């Protein structure tokens, strides 16, 4: 089955298998390696992408459902060889990355949150990050990164 969709402002028409996960399509066929495959069960959040500006666990989404959608991956947040997106830089500056495996998913969920609500409450930040597992940094530095990203956009979350 052929599906047509956009990834990071680039149009694709691809033949997909009915149950092929979007995460596998992105990594193995489109060579977008920023989207990680962790648990393949929707539990860890490492595969989070934006589908029509909404965060989605790409390991749970069948590629056959992509027809007509717009996807943003971590690679789509900044220009190739350009500076980091302010949210990415906030994660670096706040020390919210160590091994980095979970970081792309966390950044994408943060992007969705701050795009919809540039001044989220502590509860809204916690709700946006609830589907993510991080074994290295702990969640305080991640919340500090969300605060820093909100500061850079002229808001403050105080989480």
């Amino acid at each position: 089955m052929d599906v047509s969709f956009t990834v990071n402002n680039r149009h694709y028409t691809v033949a997909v298998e009915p149950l092929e996960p979007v995460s596998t399509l992105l990594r193995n066929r489109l060579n977008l390696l920023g989207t990680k495959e962790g648990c393949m069960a929707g539990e860890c959040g490492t595969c989070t992408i934006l589908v029509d500006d909404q965060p989605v666990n790409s390991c749970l989404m069948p590629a056959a459902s992509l027809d007509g959608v717009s996807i943003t991956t971590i690679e789509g947040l900044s220009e190739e060889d350009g500076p980091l997106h302010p949210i990415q830089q906030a994660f670096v500056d706040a020390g919210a990355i160590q091994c980095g495996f979970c970081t792309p998913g966390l950044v994408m969920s943060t992007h969705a949150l701050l795009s919809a609500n540039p001044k989220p409450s502590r509860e809204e930040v916690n709700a946006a990050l609830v589907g993510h597992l991080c074994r290295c940094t702990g969640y305080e530095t991640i919340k500090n990164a969300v605060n820093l990203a909100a500061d850079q956009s002229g808001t403050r979350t105080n989480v």
Side-chain angles (χ1 to χ4, degrees):
M1 142 187 253
D2 286 352
V3 292
S4 294
F5 53 94
T6 302
V7 179
N8 302 331
N9 297 314
R10 185 171 174 195
H11 184 76
Y12 294 90
T13 299
V14 179
V16 298
E17 296 297 320
L19 298 179
E20 179 181 11
V22 170
S23 59
T24 302
L25 171 69
L26 291 171
R27 290 184 59 78
N28 296 347
R29 301 198 28 225
L30 301 185
N31 202 34
L32 295 169
L33 302 178
T35 301
K36 306 300 181 203
E37 289 185 323
C39 67
M40 294 302 288
E43 297 292 328
C44 69
T46 62
C47 67
T48 301
I49 60 173
L50 302 182
V51 177
D52 293 332
D53 298 321
Q54 298 302 308
V56 171
N57 288 336
S58 63
C59 71
L60 296 179
M61 183 177 192
S65 67
L66 290 178
D67 210 40
V69 305
S70 178
I71 295 172
T72 305
T73 69
I74 192 77
E75 293 93 343
L77 291 186
S78 60
E79 296 295 321
E80 187 174 335
D81 297 325
L84 293 175
H85 184 278
I87 294 172
Q88 292 169 312
Q89 189 62 54
F91 270 71
V92 172
D93 293 345
I97 54 173
Q98 285 187 14
C99 82
F101 192 75
C102 66
T103 306
L106 286 161
V107 167
M108 298 310 292
S109 288
T110 299
H111 187 277
L113 172 66
L114 295 180
S115 292
N117 180 1
K119 192 174 181 179
S121 68
R122 174 184 296 269
E123 294 77 22
E124 290 166 325
V125 171
N126 289 338
L129 301 179
V130 75
H132 294 275
L133 299 178
C134 176
R135 294 181 178 181
C136 298
T137 62
Y139 295 93
E140 288 309 308
T141 56
I142 293 166
K143 292 175 188 178
N144 290 343
V146 175
N147 272 334
L148 185 55
D151 281 348
Q152 291 172 349
S153 68
T155 63
R156 179 75 176 148
T157 61
N158 295 317
V159 293

